[in-house]
Amino acid sequence: MLNSPENRKLRLRLYGAFSAEWSSGGKLDIRSTKLRALVALLATAPDMKRTRSWLQDKLWSLSGQELGRASLRRGLSDLKRAIGSDFEVLFDISHDDVALYPDVIEFVGVPAEGEFLEGINIAEAGFTSWVNDQRKSRPQLISELEYFAPSEKTGILPAVAVLPFLQSFRRDGEDVLGDMLAEEISRALSKSQLIDVISHLSSRNLNMRLLNLADVRRALNVEYVIHGSYRQDGERFHLDADFLDAESGRIIWSRQFSAKMSDFLNGGEEIVADISRQIGQSILSTSIELATSKPLPEVASHALLVSGVSLMHRLKLASFAKARPLIEEIIRKSPKHANLYAWLGKWYVLSIHKGWSNDVVKDSQIACDCTARALDLDPDCSFSLAVDGLAQITLYKDFDLAFKRYDRAVDLNPNDALAWLLKGTSHAFRDEGDRAVAYTQRARSLSPLDPYKYYYESLSATALISNQQYEEALKFAESSLLENRRHVSTLRAKTMALQFLGREQEAAVAAKELLIIDPNLTVSGYLKNHPASEFSTGQEWANSLRAAGIPEN
């Protein structure tokens, strides 16, 4: 029996003379040509699995259906006798399928060493057609994989590959729509700060009609893969997409999406937004599941980070408190990544902002120590600069230093949505409504699919109030509350917008709802803690809250 499958592999040679040898020494004695072909058919399958009917069609079709089934059963019995007790480690047999365990298989050899399955010729039309196709295509497959030569992964974010979608019943040269869809989804996902997206050019160079999931994972070094097929139906097209865990092969979800061809080709992004949003939400939920079901040292770094950030933005103290040890654990694993210290700094800023800190002075210092450490590691990290700016304004009301951080961040990375958002909000606090609206609008355009869209809409409402665009502000506040009904800043913005619009009864109702969520809110406390309090905007906002029914003390 295999003592350690992780260390002992079955090395299959498919180019030149077929061979199957253990990495620790010793050959499998498979003398039958059909049984060698059977192993090769399994090894080259997606996830190394074939149905029994497919195998019968390729190797025993001349025997008829009943005899074919019996011949496959007998062949598997012969393999089990030849391999011995290791058979159970190599093969996964069910009523409908036959599979190899991919973790135990290792391929050796290259096309230069000989023809694919050299000398294995079987008088079965199905096998002959299959092997001839493989002999034509396998050199192309290998050259594509070697082209990538993936290096060891050093990132801390989950990596996603969006493979070009294939057309069902394809006619040559007609996968253009699937390629365009994959490119647009890749672009949308790349705007997230919590996902690494493999470039579309890298993904499209893989021939998905020839590769299986193990090939893709080996070539692109990713945690997640989305792929599928589409079919056209008059003016519409229908996409069947699978989102997979690349390591286990588990299908996380399998869904169908539809759209009008003309809408998509004319710039309509609903289908792209829908798919991208579902991918982002699945990564978040999968990461939280991983991080909360295993001891932290056993959780992958990307799952620690994504789950930590997700829990950090939850409204319940219990969830928020769980985020810090996750981020601290990934810092222990990867102490040289600047972003991680910035996220930890943001956790401390939020703990103070939400009123959950037991020692504001101490936690303020820790927050700034974290962002300072982040900038020591990478002075040009736009995210770290943006978070430090947030800390300076929220904790110390230091607008000058905060704006230096934001300006540096957007100079270094004009596509940093968070930096633009925080910069715009800071202008709102400082009576500069026109800039506030322009910069928060830019932030939303750079991050249309952010899982924390409610946060962008909430701060956009604040910016619009500062520019006296109260109707628009109310729309953004209400849209934000649909995603997060308990977000205090959004409820405050809604209350102010209604009061400024003269809708006083509705403002009073909103103020009561606000006090249920934040029972300690007072006008004097707001003026003491809010960065806008020293400017006329802040005074006007305080007056609107007072008029809506928020108590003075």
Side-chain angles (χ1 to χ4, degrees):
M1 192 74 179
L2 284 174
N3 295 321
S4 179
E6 294 83 0
N7 297 325
R8 192 180 181 209
K9 306 283 187 182
L10 183 67
R11 293 175 173 169
L12 292 180
R13 185 178 299 276
L14 302 183
Y15 291 96
F18 173 91
S19 69
E21 302 179 7
W22 293 114
S23 57
S24 57
K27 293 184 178 182
L28 289 192
D29 186 18
I30 304 175
R31 298 183 182 182
S32 165
T33 300
K34 279 197 174 182
L35 294 186
R36 291 183 177 191
L38 174 62
V39 172
L41 289 167
L42 294 173
T44 54
D47 300 328
M48 298 192 181
K49 177 188 290 186
R50 303 281 192 190
T51 64
R52 285 177 178 261
S53 60
W54 191 90
L55 292 170
Q56 289 163 208
D57 178 67
K58 295 296 179 286
L59 295 175
W60 290 284
S61 65
L62 297 177
S63 302
Q65 199 170 54
E66 290 297 326
L67 286 176
R69 279 199 292 267
S71 296
L72 175 57
R73 286 197 300 271
R74 187 167 55 252
L76 292 171
S77 296
D78 291 343
L79 273 175
K80 189 170 185 177
R81 280 194 297 273
I83 296 171
S85 59
D86 288 336
F87 182 85
E88 303 295 335
V89 176
L90 288 171
F91 287 87
D92 181 19
I93 310 294
S94 71
H95 181 268
D96 296 316
D97 302 310
V98 181
L100 290 169
Y101 287 111
D103 290 345
V104 190
I105 303 301
E106 183 177 284
F107 293 104
V108 295
V110 294
E113 296 178 3
E115 186 178 52
F116 180 73
L117 296 184
E118 184 177 281
I120 296 183
N121 297 301
I122 298 172
E124 289 277 356
F127 180 80
T128 300
S129 175
W130 176 83
V131 81
N132 286 339
D133 286 343
Q134 297 296 309
R135 286 168 179 167
K136 292 175 184 176
S137 63
R138 284 274 151 183
Q140 176 190 357
L141 181 155
I142 295 296
S143 65
E144 286 173 352
L145 291 181
E146 290 177 345
Y147 168 79
F148 289 98
S151 57
E152 183 178 354
K153 187 175 176 183
T154 58
I156 54 174
L157 298 178
V160 181
V162 184
L163 305 181
F165 299 100
L166 305 178
Q167 184 176 17
S168 302
F169 315 112
R170 176 196 179 193
R171 294 181 292 274
D172 286 344
E174 293 189 3
D175 275 341
V176 176
L177 177 62
D179 188 69
M180 292 172 64
L181 270 169
E183 183 174 15
E184 291 304 315
I185 294 169
S186 295
R187 284 178 177 170
L189 290 173
S190 67
K191 294 177 180 179
S192 171
Q193 292 180 325
L194 292 176
I195 300 174
D196 271 341
V197 183
I198 300 300
S199 76
H200 178 63
L201 290 177
S202 293
S203 295
R204 76 184 301 195
N205 277 330
L206 291 175
N207 188 336
M208 283 315 300
R209 295 188 186 274
L210 306 177
L211 297 175
N212 59 39
L213 184 60
D215 292 326
V216 174
R217 183 168 180 262
R218 186 165 59 250
L220 299 180
N221 202 5
V222 294
E223 281 75 37
Y224 300 99
V225 172
I226 182 165
H227 75 124
S229 61
Y230 69 93
R231 65 187 185 280
Q232 293 179 237
D233 180 17
E235 295 182 356
R236 299 185 67 81
F237 66 90
H238 307 282
L239 176 69
D240 294 301
D242 293 334
F243 186 55
L244 307 171
D245 181 316
E247 182 174 3
S248 68
R250 179 174 67 92
I251 298 177
I252 298 173
W253 52 252
S254 183
R255 294 171 188 166
Q256 186 178 90
F257 305 87
S258 298
K260 279 188 177 181
M261 184 80 70
S262 57
D263 289 346
F264 174 70
L265 295 177
N266 290 326
E269 296 184 349
E270 279 141 10
I271 186 170
V272 172
D274 193 11
I275 295 170
S276 303
R277 191 177 298 112
Q278 293 194 42
I279 291 172
Q281 290 170 350
S282 296
I283 291 175
L284 288 180
S285 59
T286 300
S287 297
I288 292 174
E289 180 183 343
L290 288 171
T292 55
S293 62
K294 295 181 178 181
L296 292 188
E298 297 178 16
V299 181
S301 293
H302 67 85
L304 287 170
L305 178 59
V306 174
S307 57
V309 171
S310 180
L311 291 171
M312 181 194 307
H313 291 87
R314 298 280 177 91
L315 296 177
K316 292 183 178 179
L317 176 57
S319 297
F320 179 81
K322 291 177 183 176
R324 195 183 81 187
L326 297 177
I327 298 172
E328 290 174 339
E329 174 64 19
I330 190 176
I331 288 176
R332 186 189 67 77
K333 290 183 174 183
S334 305
K336 299 298 183 183
H337 282 275
N339 279 19
L340 301 180
Y341 293 93
W343 280 117
L344 185 58
K346 187 176 183 183
W347 186 92
Y348 279 99
V349 172
L350 291 177
S351 74
I352 296 167
H353 179 68
K354 293 171 183 281
W356 291 336
S357 170
N358 293 322
D359 189 334
V360 171
V361 174
K362 179 182 177 181
D363 287 349
S364 296
Q365 186 59 55
I366 294 174
C368 290
D369 288 345
C370 288
T371 56
R373 174 62 175 154
L375 293 172
D376 285 342
L377 287 169
D378 185 358
D380 294 336
C381 174
S382 62
F383 176 72
S384 300
L385 287 162
V387 174
D388 189 58
L390 174 67
Q392 299 304 327
I393 280 190
T394 303
L395 305 179
Y396 302 112
K397 301 183 183 179
D398 189 340
F399 281 84
D400 291 340
L401 182 53
F403 275 112
K404 287 180 182 177
R405 297 290 191 250
Y406 297 146
D407 291 344
R408 176 68 174 155
V410 297
D411 283 345
L412 289 167
N413 182 6
N415 295 320
D416 191 319
L418 181 65
W420 283 110
L421 182 71
L422 297 177
K423 178 180 168 69
T425 308
S426 299
H427 280 292
F429 297 160
R430 210 168 64 168
D431 303 339
E432 295 167 344
D434 53 346
R435 290 187 180 183
V437 171
Y439 295 155
T440 53
Q441 183 177 7
R442 179 172 175 81
R444 293 196 313 277
S445 70
L446 289 170
S447 190
L449 304 174
D450 196 285
Y452 305 109
K453 180 183 176 184
Y454 78 88
Y455 183 61
Y456 282 74
E457 290 183 332
S458 175
L459 296 190
S460 294
T462 298
L464 288 160
I465 290 172
S466 74
N467 206 40
Q468 300 179 11
Q469 295 175 244
Y470 305 126
E471 289 283 3
E472 284 295 306
L474 182 60
K475 289 178 184 178
F476 275 103
E478 290 180 332
S479 177
S480 177
L481 289 169
L482 290 175
E483 298 294 326
N484 192 333
R485 289 221 54 89
R486 296 175 58 86
H487 194 242
V488 171
S489 296
T490 316
L491 284 166
R492 198 166 57 220
K494 178 182 178 179
T495 303
M496 292 189 294
L498 287 168
Q499 187 67 37
F500 284 127
L501 286 168
R503 294 160 62 174
E504 295 177 356
Q505 289 184 336
E506 293 173 82
V509 172
K512 289 179 181 178
E513 185 178 357
L514 176 57
L515 288 170
I516 292 172
I517 304 300
D518 186 8
N520 296 320
L521 176 64
T522 63
V523 174
S524 61
Y526 175 79
L527 287 169
K528 177 182 177 182
N529 297 316
H530 200 281
S533 60
E534 298 175 8
F535 300 91
S536 60
T537 293
Q539 296 296 322
E540 292 171 4
W541 292 353
N543 290 335
S544 71
L545 292 172
R546 186 183 291 112
I550 301 300
E552 187 68 32
N553 297 300

